[in-house]
Amino acid sequence: MPDDKQEAPKPRGTMARDRWDQLRELHAEGKGRNVIAREMGIATGCVSRTAEHLGLTFDRTAIQAATVARVADLAERRSLLAEKLTDIAEESLEKIHEPTTVYAFGGKENSFNSETFPEAPHAERRILIMAAGAAIDRSLKLAPPEQATGGADEAKSMLGKLAQGISAIVNDDTGSSESAT
């Protein structure tokens, strides 16, 4: 004879009913989904589905704060890499004007030859310039330059002040030359 008290069927993909109280207790302690799953020894998806069925939600502010911190950390690392790439570009360009030794193997007996030039020869210059260009390109992709806002207004203001200064100098010179006559 069936029980008079029939329970609704357990939703698919949720944990056994006898563990729901434990889930509620861990949730009430403020533990997150991953911690609960580890402590209960079940999959995170199962915890999520059961919590949803029970009307429980997880506070995501800690996750959001951690994500913001991680994004900031990655931005800092990209900035440091961009700085290193810029240093590489500068070093490559400086090597163009430094004494350069060129090595080669050749001839019938595959002999080794080297010669030192006061500056990098054309082929080596081309390689150094390409290396510098690639490093700068990667640097700019990692840390694009900040866009200036109001640059035109600042330039107009500066030019206006410059014009006023020139006018003042011209007026002073005109006044002093007139008084000298």
Side-chain angles (χ1 to χ4, degrees):
M1 182 171 230
D3 286 343
D4 291 342
K5 181 182 170 188
Q6 287 187 344
E7 293 185 26
K10 178 179 87 70
R12 186 166 194 222
T14 60
M15 65 181 75
R17 288 179 194 276
D18 61 343
R19 301 191 76 189
W20 288 3
D21 288 337
Q22 182 184 4
L23 172 63
R24 285 185 184 106
E25 288 173 17
L26 293 171
H27 182 271
E29 292 173 13
K31 295 184 177 178
R33 181 197 66 172
N34 293 347
V35 173
I36 291 172
R38 256 191 313 275
E39 287 188 19
M40 294 184 74
I42 56 177
T44 55
C46 185
V47 171
S48 294
R49 285 186 295 274
T50 306
E52 182 180 352
H53 174 71
L54 298 175
L56 304 175
T57 59
F58 294 101
D59 181 18
R60 300 207 183 253
T61 55
I63 294 170
Q64 290 169 340
T67 301
V68 167
R70 179 74 174 139
V71 167
D73 290 346
L74 290 173
E76 175 65 17
R77 290 177 68 190
R78 282 192 306 275
S79 175
L80 293 173
L81 284 173
E83 188 175 334
K84 287 179 182 179
L85 287 167
T86 301
D87 291 344
I88 289 169
E90 289 173 349
E91 290 169 9
S92 295
L93 293 174
E94 288 171 3
K95 286 181 182 180
I96 289 174
H97 301 291
E98 294 176 357
T100 304
T101 303
V102 178
Y103 304 93
F105 288 92
K108 181 178 170 184
E109 297 179 20
N110 201 23
S111 59
F112 173 78
N113 293 308
S114 68
E115 185 173 344
T116 301
F117 297 92
E119 288 188 343
H122 178 71
E124 281 68 28
R125 283 180 184 228
R126 193 172 130 248
I127 291 169
L128 291 167
I129 289 170
M130 287 173 45
I136 290 169
D137 183 49
R138 298 304 185 277
S139 169
L140 290 172
K141 285 183 180 176
L142 287 170
E146 294 180 14
Q147 298 296 323
T149 58
D153 292 336
E154 291 171 10
K156 287 178 186 176
S157 174
M158 181 190 70
L159 290 173
K161 289 177 184 176
L162 182 61
Q164 289 173 348
I166 292 171
S167 294
I169 291 171
V170 168
N171 291 336
D172 285 346
D173 285 347
T174 305
S176 62
S177 64
E178 287 176 5
S179 62
T181 55

